[in-house]
Amino acid sequence: MAKHILIAHDLSPEGDIALHRAIQLAAQSQARLTLLHVAANQLSPALLARLRSTEEQTLANHLQGRPALDVQLRLEVGPHPAELILQYISLGNCDLLVLGSHHRQPAQGFAGSVRERVLQASPVPALIAIDPADTTYERALAAIDFSPCASRALRAAWQLLPPGAQFRALHVQEVAAIHATDNLDEQAFQQSLFERFIGAEFTALPPRVVQFSYDFQSGERQTCLDAAIASQRTQLLALGRHSRDDLSERLLGSLTRYYLDNPPCDLLVMR
């Protein structure tokens, strides 16, 4: 369970949605919550005081009617917001970062954004919150590709689920749809590998009253994942983020980048 949640807030509507989710998760896990606002430009004392007052009022509005939480507000000023956020993650011993979505921006601009730089380097799971609901996550999906980052994403998502939630792990063997049944022996071999892999992963998870299931499919990854998200009505999608430079991701394509640009639900990203 998360012990210290950091919400990077920017006074935007998307930031308010993320704050809503961060408060819900803090209440669920009895975690400390820090709201961090980073101003990129130097502010006069009067403007800084006004900004603090605005954030305090925002925080008070979101906390109204909730049980008492351990919450603090931090304001930082500096020309490099991403670096300040990452620095606070380390210094504050945070174990979950919550961010708002800016999915309305074009992908070209997103690559150089503060959020992208934070996601590339965050040492802790990063939750991109887009659903304004403050209910607990009841249905989660993890995309599994045998990579360490996907395994870490699965474990991080497991910790965010309440008792009784449904959690499904899905591995898609990347095959063009017209060739999905061409080599059934290879498909059976890959499925057996996945079943052993996910069995070991599940055994290593801390005990929780969560309904865990897994599935193996052959086809186009994005198509299969989109179908699974829709059929399950997924509220949380857990993805590993591979360490590739921007050029490689543009040339090779990235499933994680696609969902970051077109989020179907809240996303949990782990590198």
Side-chain angles (χ1 to χ4, degrees):
M1 300 288 284
K3 295 181 179 179
H4 187 188
I5 299 172
L6 177 66
I7 162 70
H9 192 258
D10 59 1
L11 291 174
S12 68
E14 293 87 356
D16 282 347
I17 290 173
L19 176 57
H20 213 51
R21 176 57 68 185
I23 290 172
Q24 180 270 308
L25 289 171
Q28 175 182 307
S29 59
Q30 293 299 298
R32 287 193 296 140
L33 177 65
T34 297
L35 185 154
L36 175 65
H37 182 101
V38 178
N41 300 315
Q42 192 65 40
L43 303 177
S44 68
L47 285 176
L48 195 60
R50 188 182 304 171
L51 177 60
R52 174 174 285 278
S53 176
T54 300
E55 285 287 20
E56 286 175 346
Q57 186 59 54
T58 298
L59 193 54
N61 291 341
H62 283 272
L63 290 171
Q64 189 173 12
R66 289 185 175 273
L69 293 175
D70 183 358
V71 182
Q72 65 172 325
L73 169 64
R74 290 292 300 267
L75 296 182
E76 299 288 348
V77 179
H80 305 294
E83 284 70 16
L84 287 172
I85 293 171
L86 292 168
Q87 184 181 62
Y88 191 85
I89 290 172
S90 299
L91 295 178
N93 293 318
C94 305
D95 46 20
L96 176 66
L97 171 66
V98 182
L99 299 166
S101 172
H102 296 279
H103 55 276
R104 289 173 295 183
Q105 292 180 340
Q108 300 94 304
F110 174 73
S113 72
V114 171
R115 188 183 68 160
E116 176 71 1
R117 292 196 292 276
V118 170
L119 289 176
Q120 286 176 340
S122 175
V124 301
L127 176 65
I128 313 299
I130 70 164
D131 187 349
D134 65 352
T135 54
T136 58
Y137 293 125
E138 300 296 338
R139 297 175 301 279
L141 176 68
I144 300 298
D145 62 0
F146 299 109
S147 67
C149 60
S151 295
R152 289 191 289 268
L154 181 146
R155 293 192 291 268
W158 178 263
Q159 299 285 357
L160 299 185
L161 300 179
Q166 300 175 17
F167 192 20
R168 179 184 178 191
L170 173 63
H171 175 71
V172 180
Q173 181 188 21
E174 181 72 22
V175 178
I178 60 173
H179 299 300
T181 59
D182 283 0
N183 193 334
L184 296 180
D185 288 340
E186 174 64 18
Q187 180 177 325
F189 175 70
Q190 291 294 331
Q191 182 168 356
S192 68
L193 287 179
F194 170 65
E195 289 175 349
R196 289 199 295 271
F197 174 83
I198 203 64
E201 287 290 326
F202 178 70
T203 301
L205 292 171
R208 303 287 306 283
V209 187
V210 171
Q211 301 174 44
F212 184 76
S213 62
Y214 59 86
D215 191 17
F216 174 93
Q217 297 180 19
S218 290
E220 296 171 341
R221 283 184 302 168
Q222 184 184 317
T223 301
C224 292
L225 268 175
D226 284 344
I229 291 166
S231 65
Q232 182 179 313
R233 294 180 291 118
T234 299
Q235 299 166 304
L236 178 66
L237 175 62
L239 297 163
R241 182 177 178 86
H242 298 274
S243 298
R244 295 174 177 162
D245 58 39
D246 287 339
L247 178 59
S248 295
E249 288 200 354
R250 285 196 296 268
L251 291 176
L252 300 175
S254 166
L255 196 66
T256 301
R257 178 178 287 281
Y258 168 78
Y259 284 117
L260 284 170
D261 292 342
N262 307 276
C265 58
D266 288 6
L267 303 178
L268 186 69
V269 180
M270 189 75 200
R271 70 181 183 97

